Amino acid sequence: MKIKIGSSILELVQGDITQQDTDAIVNAANRTLLGGGGVDGAIHRTAGPELLAECRTLGGCDTGDAVITRGYKLKARYVIHTVGPVYRGPSPNAERLLKSAYQRSMEVAMAKGIRSVAFPAISTGSYGYPLKDASYVALLTIIDFLWNYSEIKLVRFVLFNQRALEAFETSLKRLNPAES
Ligand code: AR6
């Protein structure tokens, strides 16, 4: 599924974030930035040990913030590492922090002159954020950003399985009823 937001494209695909050829891919990291499982583990494995070496120099990242490194052996030139909230039940704070993770990632991308970014579904794996709610917050934040800033021409959500893809498709239809 693909929609236009101003002069930019927002796309939902099923796939593996490590294989994306966008200028940057986003990592669902933790505050240490020293690696982990899920997307984080897969990105570090594909990028190679130089990525961890660069991450060690950064001194961590707060929840809801984002930092950028090179992509090393990845197809993407850059990795934007962001930290989503650990989900402990519905709360305005969890929603605010998830929104912030997407927004800060886009700001960091824009500051580097990046034109295309691929995102995973931040916080929906080990951090336990329900896909239905997380997908809505993710899409609302990105759509809002793309309406306000047109420098980033492509945002691709790369969903790991059919269930995640369907959750994002349902949320996108809710946000953009003309598209079905
Ligand atoms: N490509 C795209 N999506 C993926 C991939 C992949 N290769 N692998 C998993 N997913 P998670 P979080 C999906 O746990 O919830 C790490 O240990 C997965 O199905 O990677 O933000 C970090 O170090 C899920 O929908 O990230 C942190 O400690 C989504 O990506 C913690 O996990 C996010 O799952 C962060 O947890």
Side-chain angles (χ1 to χ4, degrees):
M1 188 169 172
K2 201 189 260 198
I3 66 164
K4 254 193 139 187
I5 315 281
S7 62
S8 304
I9 302 269
L10 170 61
E11 187 177 27
L12 309 180
V13 301
Q14 192 177 334
D16 180 350
I17 193 99
T18 65
Q19 300 309 310
Q20 302 305 309
D21 60 1
T22 41
D23 295 343
I25 62 172
V26 176
N27 183 14
N30 59 60
R31 286 186 297 166
T32 70
L33 298 180
L34 299 181
V39 170
D40 200 5
I43 288 178
H44 277 275
R45 273 194 302 280
T46 312
E50 287 166 297
L51 178 61
L52 183 58
E54 184 175 353
C55 284
R56 283 192 201 286
T57 68
L58 299 174
C61 178
D62 288 337
T63 304
D65 202 358
V67 294
I68 191 163
T69 65
R70 289 171 52 195
Y72 300 97
K73 296 199 177 77
L74 291 160
K75 292 177 188 160
R77 184 157 177 223
Y78 295 104
V79 180
I80 296 167
H81 307 259
T82 190
V83 184
V86 176
Y87 189 79
R88 297 192 178 88
S91 81
N93 205 38
E95 194 175 315
R96 179 182 66 78
L97 289 167
L98 187 61
K99 189 176 174 61
S100 174
Y102 282 101
Q103 193 152 342
R104 287 290 305 132
S105 298
M106 292 293 279
E107 286 169 3
V108 164
M110 209 166 75
K112 273 277 182 206
I114 285 165
R115 315 274 285 178
S116 57
V117 189
F119 279 93
I122 297 164
S123 281
T124 65
S126 352
Y127 282 0
Y129 213 119
L131 269 170
K132 180 171 181 254
D133 300 333
S135 58
Y136 191 82
V137 172
L139 290 164
L140 186 61
T141 308
I142 296 299
I143 289 171
D144 205 41
F145 194 96
L146 292 176
W147 278 126
N148 286 298
Y149 305 97
S150 56
E151 289 89 336
I152 298 179
K153 294 298 173 201
L154 170 69
V155 174
R156 178 184 295 152
F157 279 92
V158 181
L159 293 324
F160 208 39
N161 50 45
Q162 185 67 24
R163 196 173 76 87
L165 178 64
E166 279 171 12
F168 272 73
E169 284 176 345
T170 303
S171 290
L172 187 52
K173 283 173 195 156
R174 270 175 72 198
L175 283 160
N176 188 50
E179 203 67 30
S180 54

